[in-house]
């Protein structure tokens, strides 16, 4: 049996300057290059985008998403500037669901030099896999009225992280502890 603890200092690199920080497969600019049968993405997101993520340019995969159950888009939101600021932007991932229309927004956070999603906003609390913090409010996405919650335009600053791993035996291999905040909205909270 072996347990390891790795302490990581805040990463001082500015990820906005690194080309590969945003998914390199996301080359299609939204909404300029949307296909006619992908209009469900625009119907759910286009009207809300300036309110949810002002001044954010989103990019999506070049694959045809006409019949996909969801679409993933990503883009950078600018961080507030200060004398100690070295991270100029926060990476956002936006998941747009087709049936029923819903929007979920995540911050992408570095933890132990790996990147994970942190749930920040949902347009439909009844479809979200985790209860988003904040006061719910009625909202309409794609013509559907639902309760939204969260603050989508939150930004992140680099922070220290702790990576905990264990190796119980050779059959299981190395296991890494995953903090619950990185599973919120990805796996049902009940699990």
């Amino acid at each position: 049996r072996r347990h390891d603890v790795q302490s990581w200092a805040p990463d001082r690199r500015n990820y906005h300057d690194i080309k590969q920080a945003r998914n390199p497969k996301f080359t299609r600019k939204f909404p300029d290059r949307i296909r006619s049968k992908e209009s469900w993405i625009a119907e759910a997101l286009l009207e809300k985008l300036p309110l949810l993520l002002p001044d954010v340019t989103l990019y999506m995969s070049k694959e045809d998403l006409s019949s996909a159950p969801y679409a993933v888009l990503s883009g950078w939101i600018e961080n507030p500037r200060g004398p100690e600021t070295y991270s100029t932007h926060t990476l956002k991932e936006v998941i747009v669901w087709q049936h029923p229309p819903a929007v979920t927004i995540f911050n992408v956070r570095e933890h132990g030099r790996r990147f994970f999603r942190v749930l920040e906003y949902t347009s439909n609390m009844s479809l979200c896999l985790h209860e988003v913090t904040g006061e719910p409010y009625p909202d309409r996405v794609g013509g559907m009225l639902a309760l939204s919650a969260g603050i989508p335009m939150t930004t992140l600053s680099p922070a220290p992280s702790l990576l905990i791993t264990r190796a119980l035996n050779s059959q299981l291999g190395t296991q890494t502890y995953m903090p619950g905040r990185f599973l919120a909205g990805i796996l049902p909270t009940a699990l």
Side-chain angles (χ1 to χ4, degrees):
R1 289 181 178 217
R2 177 184 169 133
H3 292 75
D4 292 314
V5 177
Q6 298 174 359
S7 177
W8 291 86
D11 193 353
R12 295 201 175 269
R13 293 178 289 177
N14 189 4
Y15 293 113
H16 186 256
D17 296 335
I18 302 171
K19 282 186 178 182
Q20 301 298 319
R22 184 176 50 84
N23 190 333
K25 294 179 182 178
F26 290 9
T27 56
R28 209 164 27 128
K29 192 174 181 181
F30 175 83
D32 302 346
R33 298 204 175 156
I34 205 150
R35 297 178 178 100
S36 60
K37 291 190 177 180
E38 294 174 330
S39 62
W40 61 271
I41 302 169
E43 288 168 9
L45 191 58
L46 196 56
E47 203 174 284
K48 304 291 296 173
L49 189 58
L51 302 171
L52 298 174
L53 297 173
D55 302 321
V56 174
T57 303
L58 293 177
Y59 293 88
M60 56 194 291
S61 161
K62 59 185 172 187
E63 296 173 16
D64 184 12
L65 301 171
S66 303
S67 59
Y70 62 91
V72 180
L73 300 92
S74 71
W76 297 98
I77 189 168
E78 193 169 352
N79 289 355
R81 301 216 183 242
E84 299 289 318
T85 304
Y86 47 87
S87 179
T88 61
H89 293 75
T90 296
L91 183 60
K92 296 286 189 176
E93 282 201 357
V94 179
I95 314 291
V96 182
W97 295 92
Q98 182 165 243
H99 299 294
V103 176
T104 307
I105 299 177
F106 295 87
N107 278 338
V108 177
R109 177 177 271 293
E110 179 268 332
H111 179 80
R113 302 303 186 259
R114 297 179 182 134
F115 296 93
F116 300 99
R117 292 176 177 157
V118 177
L119 182 64
E120 295 296 329
Y121 167 84
T122 181
S123 68
N124 192 331
M125 288 184 62
S126 64
L127 299 176
C128 190
L129 300 175
H130 182 74
E131 189 170 320
V132 180
T133 56
E135 222 25 66
Y137 55 93
D139 201 1
R140 191 174 295 276
V141 173
M144 188 172 164
L145 185 63
L147 284 177
S148 297
I151 303 170
M153 68 273 304
T154 55
T155 59
L156 297 173
S157 295
S161 53
L162 198 63
L163 197 62
I164 303 169
T165 60
R166 70 179 184 180
L168 296 178
N169 59 46
S170 59
Q171 289 176 330
L172 293 175
T174 301
Q175 299 172 330
T176 304
Y177 171 72
M178 182 69 63
R181 67 182 174 274
F182 300 128
L183 300 175
I186 296 174
L187 289 176
T189 305
L191 295 177

